[in-house]
Amino acid sequence: MKKTTTALALAMSAGLATSALARPNFPEVEPNETKGQATMVVGMAPGDTLSGNSTGTSTTVAGAASADTFLIKVAPAPLGLYRNRLVITTTGTAGHSGSIRGLNQVAAAQAPWLPGMVIGTPGVTDTTIQTSSATSTPPRFNQWYGFGKEEEIYYRVTGTASTTSDYLVTLEQLPIAPTPIASTFAPGDITITTLGQGHSSDTDIHVYDANFNPIVGSSNDDEAAAAVSGVPGATGATLQSALKRSYAPGTYYLAIGSFNTCNNLPSPSDDDFRTGAILDFPNALATSSTATNVNVAFSISDGVVTTPVPSTRAGIFDINWYSFTVGGVVGACCVPTTLTCVETSAGNCSILGGTYNGDGSTCATANCPTPGACCLPDGSCIQALPAACTAQNGTYQGNSVQCGSVQCPQPA
């Protein structure tokens, strides 16, 4: 059975030892090769550390060459969004590797999504969600996002024949402010998609409610065909994302990352890829992607207003977060540029350059200006509102008059 150094201050450099001793340390307790044997860590706070010794990767035989598995429960924090990191350091040869563990999932049968539809089923097989990188900055860190809800994760450290010195793993925590999306969207069906946004990145999206609870079924890895996803133009042939769901008035949070981005909820039935690995416990979100500077631009649309959102995943394991608002009141909006009436929020009507008819009004009763025939100087006829006709030096023929029923004067 391997032992961790008891006098940690002697094993680490003077500066590092001072930092380590300033906060509680949780040493590994053997055997801890598997999840079932994991060393329990309760209430780990920023600055707290894990310590241990590993010169191998075995999950079957305890000893110096075995993996070290921890079940970490983070200390509570005010409700919000936090980026958490576990960073490995050592005074000896660098070479330890960290990983966030998860589970496989059993896929739900593919079908269009309806409220109450089933999602997949969590499996029982231990799966790697994320593996640290020796070339990241800082090197050898793992990262996930939480909400101050004492999230739990399984974390594992492995070593090599040369990593004979003890390792130290420090928890870092950074509050994150989601980026607000300016538009206010009308209640009902809203589509979030990375299709047609100028890139072909393999994206993954998840939607949370105002209390940072994941909404069951509100995630998408790969877009399914339009017949399944309900998203026009979706083919099921790409690795991009398309999610159409109905939203009540309120504030929502959108997480967008690269494959595989996951929480503990299996995939919904209208996802084209429904066997991705998931986390063991709620209240955490992580991605496996080590790619940097990835274009993950998306658009969000309520069917009336479509708002494109530029977005770049900058760093390894990063997930970009946004907030959007679904308004509670809609009304009739007369849109002169398209000669149409739509029922949307006052804010969206302003974006469309329309005239808002009041909360609760409908297009059936709205007194929107009616276009009529307009004879232009070149002898042609267009349907236009009076002001638009005059602006083109045309002659307005009357409200609701159709071009087919008039004979415009022809130029000499």
Side-chain angles (χ1 to χ4, degrees), residues 81-83 85 143-145 147 176-181 192 194 199 201-208 212 241 252-262 285-289 291-298 309-324:
L81 177 61
Y82 300 89
R83 188 195 71 186
R85 283 181 174 179
Q143 177 172 294
W144 76 97
Y145 294 80
F147 313 105
I176 299 293
T179 302
I181 296 173
I192 305 167
T194 59
H199 65 86
S201 305
D202 187 352
T203 52
D204 213 333
I205 57 180
H206 295 259
V207 179
Y208 288 71
F212 290 105
S241 305
Y252 298 88
Y253 296 99
L254 168 65
I256 181 162
S258 300
F259 174 81
N260 172 39
T261 298
C262 64
L285 186 75
T287 182
S288 62
S289 177
T292 59
N293 298 315
V294 180
N295 187 348
V296 291
F298 62 95
V309 182
S311 185
T312 300
R313 261 195 62 252
I316 175 176
F317 304 143
D318 278 357
I319 298 171
N320 293 355
W321 287 84
Y322 299 86
S323 63
F324 65 94

Side-chain angles (χ1 to χ4, degrees), residues 36-368:
Q37 302 167 317
T39 297
M40 300 287 291
V41 179
V42 178
M44 191 173 189
D48 291 356
T49 54
L50 312 173
S51 59
N53 188 284
S54 175
T55 58
T57 61
S58 175
T59 57
T60 57
V61 179
S66 68
D68 296 341
T69 306
F70 297 85
L71 174 53
I72 299 170
K73 185 174 185 178
V74 179
L79 182 66
L81 177 61
Y82 300 89
R83 188 195 71 186
N84 299 284
R85 283 181 174 179
L86 291 170
V87 185
I88 300 175
T89 55
T90 178
T91 55
T93 301
H96 293 97
S97 177
S99 65
I100 294 175
R101 314 306 302 172
L103 297 168
N104 67 314
Q105 68 167 300
V106 180
Q110 190 173 70
W113 178 261
L114 296 171
M117 290 285 288
V118 297
I119 58 178
T121 304
V124 296
T125 303
D126 176 47
T127 305
T128 302
I129 298 293
Q130 181 190 103
T131 302
S132 65
S133 169
T135 59
S136 61
T137 304
R140 308 181 199 284
F141 76 85
N142 290 96
Q143 177 172 294
W144 76 97
Y145 294 80
F147 313 105
K149 299 181 179 183
E150 300 181 273
E151 70 271 13
E152 295 178 271
I153 65 164
Y154 280 112
Y155 172 71
R156 181 172 293 163
V157 178
T158 58
T160 68
S162 61
T163 58
T164 55
S165 297
D166 289 355
Y167 59 79
L168 192 72
V169 182
T170 305
L171 176 64
E172 299 177 355
Q173 190 176 81
L174 179 68
I176 299 293
T179 302
I181 296 173
S183 303
T184 298
F185 300 95
D189 287 343
I190 293 176
T191 300
I192 305 167
T193 183
T194 59
L195 291 168
Q197 303 304 306
H199 65 86
S200 58
S201 305
D202 187 352
T203 52
D204 213 333
I205 57 180
H206 295 259
V207 179
Y208 288 71
D209 67 16
N211 293 313
F212 290 105
N213 297 310
I215 302 174
V216 176
S218 291
S219 66
N220 184 264
D221 182 354
D222 294 347
E223 49 97 11
V228 175
S229 67
V231 178
T235 63
T238 77
L239 302 178
Q240 297 184 276
S241 305
L243 180 69
K244 183 179 181 180
R245 294 291 185 266
S246 181
Y247 294 88
T251 298
Y252 298 88
Y253 296 99
L254 168 65
I256 181 162
S258 300
F259 174 81
N260 172 39
T261 298
C262 64
N263 51 31
N264 68 307
L265 295 180
S267 303
S269 59
D270 59 346
D271 198 320
D272 214 38
F273 182 78
R274 303 180 305 286
T275 55
I278 59 176
L279 293 170
D280 292 81
F281 306 106
N283 301 321
L285 186 75
T287 182
S288 62
S289 177
T290 57
T292 59
N293 298 315
V294 180
N295 187 348
V296 291
F298 62 95
S299 69
I300 179 168
S301 175
D302 61 8
V304 175
V305 169
T306 298
T307 301
V309 182
S311 185
T312 300
R313 261 195 62 252
I316 175 176
F317 304 143
D318 278 357
I319 298 171
N320 293 355
W321 287 84
Y322 299 86
S323 63
F324 65 94
T325 302
V326 178
V329 181
V330 298
C333 175
C334 300
V335 187
T337 54
T338 57
L339 307 179
T340 58
C341 177
V342 296
E343 293 175 9
T344 188
S345 66
N348 282 352
C349 187
S350 178
I351 292 172
L352 293 170
T355 301
Y356 192 61
N357 283 250
D359 294 346
S361 61
T362 65
C363 286
T365 58
N367 186 26
C368 292

